[in-house]
Amino acid sequence: MYSKEKQQLIDFGNKLIDENYTLGTGGNLSLYIRKTETMLITPSGIPFHAIQLEDIVSMTVAGKILEGNRKPSSEWRMHAIMYEKRQDLTAIIHAHTIYSTALAILRQPLPASHYMIAVAGKDVRCAEYASFGTEELADNVFQAMEDRKAVLLANHGVLTGGTSLADAFNVLEELEYCSKVHLIASSAGTPTIMSEQEMANMAKRFKTYGQADK
């Protein structure tokens, strides 16, 4: 079941590797089919380029395996809590991007030093540290990502969400870009942070950005 959606997970997992947003088996991706309450998630410990359709795990957000012989990603709780408690998300990407992870290692949030961070929210918080794969980490990440589509994971990486994998990947790309320019600017001086009023304006403008539906 859901072969099209499973292929999307494989394709975007490969894209993470091809565009140097993670290495080896670092990171995981999922989709949520809300109509059937089914979470599709990449398997644990298999390199992205080696994942096949049959390796994608179908499960409930409570952890029950519905289809597949592989172990789901060790971070499945971090995905499940988002789908269980947020109605606006149906796709999650977790990766170990360089610049966003550098901020996470510093345990610093990403402020609005560049307006494009508005794709994720008015800023991006850094979740409190917890060991990977734990319920504690899932809880910390959920809390820090409130009202946002991205969160930094202390000493770990980044997680983004969206209405599709393409949406979540776009947030990941913009977050990585904004993290990079913020760190470069910080090395030369003190970045100027945009006001909350202007970021609220950006959020409104982004809703009508792009090609209008016909």
Side-chain angles (χ1 to χ4, degrees):
M1 295 178 64
Y2 302 118
S3 58
K4 179 181 176 181
E5 290 82 359
K6 290 177 181 180
Q7 187 60 53
Q8 289 177 2
L9 289 169
I10 292 171
D11 292 344
F12 277 94
N14 289 338
K15 195 171 182 180
L16 285 178
I17 296 292
D18 294 342
E19 299 194 15
N20 297 314
Y21 287 144
T22 202
L23 296 171
T25 61
N28 29 77
L29 306 88
S30 69
L31 281 168
Y32 190 56
I33 315 300
R34 200 165 294 278
K35 183 177 181 181
T36 59
E37 298 183 337
T38 301
M39 180 170 72
L40 306 175
I41 192 165
T42 49
S44 177
I46 300 179
F48 285 109
H49 284 320
I51 295 175
Q52 303 296 315
L53 285 177
E54 58 268 24
D55 297 321
I56 301 296
V57 181
S58 300
M59 61 189 299
T60 69
V61 294
K64 180 183 178 181
I65 304 299
L66 301 174
E67 182 185 25
N69 297 316
R70 299 293 191 178
K71 289 172 55 179
S73 166
S74 60
E75 302 287 15
W76 69 266
R77 294 175 184 83
M78 197 164 60
H79 296 248
I81 194 171
M82 296 297 178
Y83 300 136
E84 184 179 10
K85 298 186 176 184
R86 299 238 340 222
Q87 296 297 307
D88 59 323
L89 302 177
T90 53
I92 297 290
I93 298 177
H94 165 52
H96 299 167
T97 52
I98 298 296
Y99 294 97
S100 301
T101 302
L103 280 175
I105 289 172
L106 293 168
R107 300 197 180 183
Q108 293 181 4
L110 175 63
S113 51
H114 192 292
Y115 78 93
M116 281 302 297
I117 199 58
V119 300
K122 64 180 182 180
D123 56 21
V124 176
R125 302 186 185 109
C126 183
E128 292 186 14
Y129 179 80
S131 299
F132 80 91
T134 61
E135 189 173 343
E136 181 184 7
L137 178 60
D139 288 336
N140 291 351
V141 167
F142 172 74
Q143 292 173 24
M145 196 164 140
E146 183 180 5
D147 297 325
R148 291 155 176 79
K149 293 171 70 174
V151 61
L152 303 174
L153 283 59
N155 301 90
H156 187 157
V158 62
L159 182 141
T160 64
T163 56
S164 65
L165 285 170
D167 184 21
F169 196 89
N170 177 62
V171 176
L172 182 86
E173 286 187 307
E174 295 297 349
L175 174 56
E176 181 67 354
Y177 171 77
C178 291
S179 297
K180 180 177 181 178
V181 296
H182 180 75
L183 285 167
I184 292 172
S186 297
S187 70
T190 302
T192 300
I193 307 305
M194 301 176 71
S195 69
E196 288 200 21
Q197 180 180 2
E198 179 57 15
M199 291 309 294
N201 176 44
M202 286 296 106
K204 290 179 181 178
R205 297 194 66 183
F206 272 34
K207 290 178 181 180
T208 57
Y209 177 78
Q211 301 299 312
D213 293 333
K214 295 182 179 180

